[in-house]
Amino acid sequence: MGFFSKLFGFGGTSSSDIAEAVKQGALLIDVRSAAEFKSGSVKGAVNIPVDNLTARFSQIKGKDTVIVFCRSGNRSRMAKSVLQQLGIKNVIDGGTWQSVKQLLSDN
Protein backbone atom coordinates (compact mmCIF):
# COMPACT_ATOMS: atom_id res chain seq x y z
CA MET A 1 0.00 0.00 0.00
CA GLY A 2 1.33 3.42 -0.91
CA PHE A 3 2.11 6.15 1.59
CA PHE A 4 -0.82 8.36 0.56
CA SER A 5 -3.23 5.41 0.60
CA LYS A 6 -2.19 4.63 4.16
CA LEU A 7 -2.42 8.28 5.16
CA PHE A 8 -5.66 9.22 3.41
CA GLY A 9 -7.34 5.89 2.67
CA PHE A 10 -8.51 4.70 -0.73
CA GLY A 11 -9.78 7.86 -2.36
CA GLY A 12 -11.82 8.63 0.76
CA THR A 13 -13.31 5.13 0.92
CA SER A 14 -12.24 2.60 3.53
CA SER A 15 -10.53 -0.61 2.51
CA SER A 16 -13.37 -2.61 4.06
CA ASP A 17 -15.87 -0.74 1.84
CA ILE A 18 -13.85 -1.68 -1.23
CA ALA A 19 -13.56 -5.33 -0.17
CA GLU A 20 -17.29 -5.52 0.51
CA ALA A 21 -18.13 -3.90 -2.81
CA VAL A 22 -16.00 -6.48 -4.64
CA LYS A 23 -17.73 -9.30 -2.72
CA GLN A 24 -21.05 -7.82 -3.85
CA GLY A 25 -19.96 -7.92 -7.50
CA ALA A 26 -18.59 -4.42 -8.15
CA LEU A 27 -17.08 -3.83 -11.57
CA LEU A 28 -13.33 -3.22 -11.31
CA ILE A 29 -12.03 -0.75 -13.90
CA ASP A 30 -8.35 -0.01 -14.42
CA VAL A 31 -8.36 3.43 -16.06
CA ARG A 32 -4.68 3.38 -17.10
CA SER A 33 -3.50 2.99 -20.69
CA ALA A 34 -3.60 -0.40 -22.41
CA ALA A 35 0.21 -0.65 -22.18
CA GLU A 36 0.15 0.04 -18.43
CA PHE A 37 -2.66 -2.49 -17.96
CA LYS A 38 -0.65 -5.18 -19.78
CA SER A 39 2.22 -4.69 -17.33
CA GLY A 40 -0.02 -5.79 -14.43
CA SER A 41 -3.38 -5.09 -12.86
CA VAL A 42 -6.01 -6.41 -10.47
CA LYS A 43 -7.45 -9.86 -11.15
CA GLY A 44 -10.87 -9.53 -12.78
CA ALA A 45 -10.42 -5.89 -13.77
CA VAL A 46 -11.31 -4.53 -17.17
CA ASN A 47 -9.17 -1.90 -18.85
CA ILE A 48 -11.03 1.22 -19.89
CA PRO A 49 -8.62 4.17 -20.09
CA VAL A 50 -10.06 7.29 -18.50
CA ASP A 51 -10.20 9.04 -21.88
CA ASN A 52 -12.42 6.23 -23.25
CA LEU A 53 -15.00 6.04 -20.44
CA THR A 54 -17.67 7.99 -22.27
CA ALA A 55 -17.20 6.07 -25.53
CA ARG A 56 -17.30 2.71 -23.75
CA PHE A 57 -20.08 3.61 -21.32
CA SER A 58 -22.26 0.74 -22.60
CA GLN A 59 -19.86 -1.65 -20.81
CA ILE A 60 -20.47 0.14 -17.51
CA LYS A 61 -24.12 1.20 -17.70
CA GLY A 62 -26.37 -0.81 -15.40
CA LYS A 63 -23.66 -1.78 -12.91
CA ASP A 64 -24.62 -1.19 -9.29
CA THR A 65 -21.12 -0.34 -8.09
CA VAL A 66 -17.94 0.52 -9.96
CA ILE A 67 -14.41 0.71 -8.52
CA VAL A 68 -11.87 2.72 -10.52
CA PHE A 69 -8.11 2.76 -10.01
CA CYS A 70 -4.91 3.77 -11.79
CA ARG A 71 -1.18 4.29 -11.17
CA SER A 72 -1.19 7.23 -8.76
CA GLY A 73 -4.83 8.05 -8.03
CA ASN A 74 -5.14 11.08 -10.32
CA ARG A 75 -6.86 9.33 -13.23
CA SER A 76 -9.12 7.35 -10.89
CA ARG A 77 -10.28 10.62 -9.34
CA MET A 78 -11.07 11.97 -12.83
CA ALA A 79 -12.77 8.70 -13.78
CA LYS A 80 -15.01 8.83 -10.71
CA SER A 81 -16.12 12.33 -11.67
CA VAL A 82 -16.81 11.34 -15.29
CA LEU A 83 -18.83 8.27 -14.29
CA GLN A 84 -20.87 10.24 -11.76
CA GLN A 85 -21.64 12.82 -14.46
CA LEU A 86 -22.81 9.95 -16.68
CA GLY A 87 -25.23 8.83 -13.95
CA ILE A 88 -23.38 6.03 -12.15
CA LYS A 89 -24.28 6.63 -8.51
CA ASN A 90 -21.94 4.22 -6.69
CA VAL A 91 -18.43 4.92 -7.92
CA ILE A 92 -15.54 4.15 -5.60
CA ASP A 93 -12.14 5.72 -6.19
CA GLY A 94 -9.82 2.86 -5.28
CA GLY A 95 -6.68 4.93 -5.72
CA THR A 96 -3.73 2.95 -7.02
CA TRP A 97 -4.03 -0.43 -8.69
CA GLN A 98 -1.35 -1.81 -6.36
CA SER A 99 -3.37 -0.81 -3.30
CA VAL A 100 -6.52 -2.45 -4.65
CA LYS A 101 -4.58 -5.58 -5.63
CA GLN A 102 -2.98 -5.82 -2.18
CA LEU A 103 -6.30 -5.25 -0.44
CA LEU A 104 -8.02 -7.99 -2.44
CA SER A 105 -5.17 -10.44 -1.88
CA ASP A 106 -5.44 -9.81 1.88
CA ASN A 107 -9.14 -10.73 1.93
Side-chain angles (χ1 to χ4, degrees):
M1 190 180 303
F3 171 75
F4 288 107
S5 293
K6 286 181 181 177
L7 186 62
F8 299 112
F10 294 85
T13 302
S14 76
S15 58
S16 61
D17 289 341
I18 292 173
E20 184 59 31
V22 169
K23 287 178 187 174
Q24 298 296 320
L27 175 63
L28 294 162
I29 303 177
D30 187 327
V31 298
R32 298 176 299 151
S33 71
E36 289 173 297
F37 181 75
K38 287 179 185 175
S39 71
S41 190
V42 176
K43 184 178 179 177
V46 296
N47 179 224
I48 305 177
V50 68
D51 294 337
N52 297 336
L53 286 170
T54 302
R56 294 178 58 189
F57 185 66
S58 63
Q59 292 178 261
I60 305 163
K61 190 169 76 173
K63 302 296 182 190
D64 289 332
T65 304
V66 175
I67 301 171
V68 291
F69 49 88
C70 62
R71 181 183 55 82
S72 67
N74 290 326
R75 287 175 281 184
S76 62
R77 208 168 12 263
M78 289 188 305
K80 179 178 179 175
S81 177
V82 168
L83 291 174
Q84 288 175 325
Q85 290 174 15
L86 291 170
I88 303 293
K89 293 185 183 352
N90 296 317
V91 182
I92 297 171
D93 177 357
T96 69
W97 74 271
Q98 295 98 332
S99 294
V100 174
K101 183 175 182 175
Q102 179 65 45
L103 167 70
L104 297 179
S105 68
D106 289 346
N107 286 309

